[in-house]
Amino acid sequence: MASTVSAAPRPTGRDRVVTALTGVTLRGLPRIPDPVKRLMVGGRRVVIDGNTLDTTLQLMLAGQKAAGLDGLSSKPDVAMARAQLSAAAASFKQAIAVAEVTNLSVPGPAGPVGARHYRPVDGAGAPLVVFYHGGGHVIGDLDTHDDACRQLCRQGRVHVLSVDYRLAPEHKAPAGNDDAFAAYLWAVEHAAELGADPDRVAVAGDSAGGNHAALVALRARDDGARLPALQVLFYPVVNYRDQTRSQALFAQGFFLTKADLHWFADHYLTGSGLDAGDPRVSPLLAEDLSGLPPALLLTAGFDPLRDEGRQYAEALRAAGVMVEHREFGSLVHGFLNFFPLGGGSARATAEAISAMRAHLART
């Protein structure tokens, strides 16, 4: 399988201790009663812009702050940032059971693209969701989002094809999206071989992966390819050019920081030949959004990307696209990966997957 993750330097002793302590804390969160969690955060509630932060996430963020962690790019070195996310994901991994998991590769524009197929129980003829992981186009991989894909597969009763697209800064925009689109076209052609329904192939992704999913839908329309049955966009990046109020409100302290956004954008766009306003990276800025497949768009109340997600939902509706937009006001960016912690993230993930199933049942 082609790998997009550079070899990471071995974590320092302090990093290993912080990761271990963070993992213990995260694994224990689901077993702590809410009243106890409230006591652990001193009884304080975090209320911003009319939303109250989920207690479980408040406790998680307090633990990260105590460990000296803030944001996804707190390690300025790319390899270390990748290693930090991988260690954090592994520290509370659940390995949710599905019928079968198979690593494979699909043809891409620059060589084979790694992928992972998750087969649901009784999955013959079930929909297929082509999934693109988040991580700012710089970090993240098949393993960091393994639990999320397993949950989509198990609860959604869908096949999932997770795509290991090329990452920046080694591969600037739009290389990763070229891989994403090639993987989608392959999935449409080979869905039946995977045991899925070739007429119900959807695209989905979180954050940067949501950016890929939105762009794949646009490329399919523009290239005359079969449209995805649905685009499932978890707190997507859709506008690299413009600043929003939510980026200022949640610039620091809520998992994804404004510094992260700049760090990711710099690695992804600088030297790419594409500017931040190019619709090939900023789908919100596309001249025409009509004729796109239905969208299920999920945003979080304490997320720097909240407002651009809202704007994309409004722009799609204005273009005549069927949109279901659900905002989970108490949550932070990344809640799809935080469902193992319980609390609002688990409820929101279950609700989003249920909505996805309902949409795909209608197609």
Side-chain angles (χ1 to χ4, degrees):
M1 177 191 299
S3 174
T4 59
V5 181
S6 298
R10 181 172 295 180
T12 65
R14 178 185 180 277
D15 289 334
R16 287 195 295 271
V17 170
V18 167
T19 298
L21 290 174
T22 302
V24 170
T25 302
L26 293 176
R27 284 194 296 272
L29 275 177
R31 297 188 293 273
I32 302 174
D34 280 346
V36 177
K37 293 176 187 175
R38 179 63 54 202
L39 288 173
M40 293 174 72
V41 295
R44 295 182 304 105
R45 293 185 182 273
V46 178
V47 181
I48 299 177
D49 209 24
N51 291 319
T52 302
L53 182 63
D54 175 73
T55 307
T56 299
L57 293 176
Q58 185 181 350
L59 186 56
M60 180 199 80
L61 293 170
Q64 288 188 329
K65 183 177 180 180
L69 302 175
D70 183 29
L72 288 165
S73 62
S74 60
K75 299 291 186 184
D77 177 82
V78 169
M80 286 298 294
R82 290 172 180 170
Q84 178 176 287
L85 180 61
S86 295
S91 69
F92 59 100
K93 184 173 177 57
Q94 290 191 332
I96 297 155
V98 298
E100 185 179 18
V101 179
T102 306
N103 290 330
L104 50 88
S105 62
V106 303
V113 177
R116 183 173 292 167
H117 175 221
Y118 301 82
R119 184 188 304 274
V121 175
D122 299 325
L128 170 62
V129 176
V130 183
F131 182 84
Y132 309 109
H133 67 79
H137 302 289
V138 178
I139 63 179
D141 55 35
L142 298 181
D143 291 333
T144 60
H145 286 65
D146 182 66
D147 270 359
C149 288
R150 287 172 179 269
Q151 191 77 338
L152 287 169
C153 174
R154 184 179 177 87
Q155 283 195 352
R157 301 176 190 172
V158 296
H159 294 259
V160 176
L161 184 72
S162 185
V163 180
D164 199 19
Y165 57 87
R166 285 173 289 169
L167 297 177
E170 298 91 338
H171 306 284
K172 300 288 187 176
N177 195 250
D178 290 342
D179 289 350
F181 188 51
Y184 166 72
L185 295 178
W186 182 91
V188 168
E189 184 176 350
H190 296 273
E193 296 173 27
L194 297 176
D197 182 354
D199 293 323
R200 291 187 293 168
V201 179
V203 291
D206 66 309
S207 192
N211 176 270
H212 281 317
L215 291 170
V216 165
L218 277 162
R219 290 179 71 164
R221 182 201 65 181
D222 293 345
D223 288 10
R226 182 184 296 178
L227 291 177
L230 178 70
Q231 43 182 330
V232 185
L233 312 177
F234 287 89
Y235 34 85
V237 183
V238 291
N239 184 358
Y240 277 101
R241 184 189 67 190
D242 300 323
Q243 301 298 302
T244 63
R245 179 168 171 269
S246 61
Q247 289 181 18
L249 281 175
F250 310 111
Q252 191 172 1
F254 296 97
F255 185 66
L256 178 70
T257 67
K258 191 171 183 179
D260 288 332
L261 297 179
H262 290 305
W263 190 80
F264 289 137
D266 181 57
H267 283 303
Y268 187 51
L269 296 178
T270 301
S272 70
L274 303 180
D275 64 44
D278 194 304
R280 287 173 290 178
V281 294
S282 295
L284 178 60
L285 304 180
E287 290 185 5
D288 180 14
L289 293 173
S290 65
L292 292 174
L296 173 61
L297 203 156
L298 300 315
T299 51
F302 287 80
D303 184 356
L305 300 183
R306 182 195 67 185
D307 289 355
E308 64 192 79
R310 290 176 175 178
Q311 292 165 5
Y312 197 54
E314 293 168 0
L316 289 171
R317 284 198 191 100
V321 177
M322 188 181 81
V323 179
E324 180 179 358
H325 173 214
R326 300 191 183 200
E327 183 160 296
F328 302 99
S330 67
L331 303 186
V332 301
H333 188 87
F335 67 78
L336 176 64
N337 293 96
F338 297 147
F339 76 87
L341 308 182
S345 298
R347 291 189 293 272
T349 298
E351 183 178 324
I353 293 174
S354 178
M356 179 191 73
R357 282 187 59 194
H359 279 282
L360 291 174
R362 291 197 293 265
T363 59

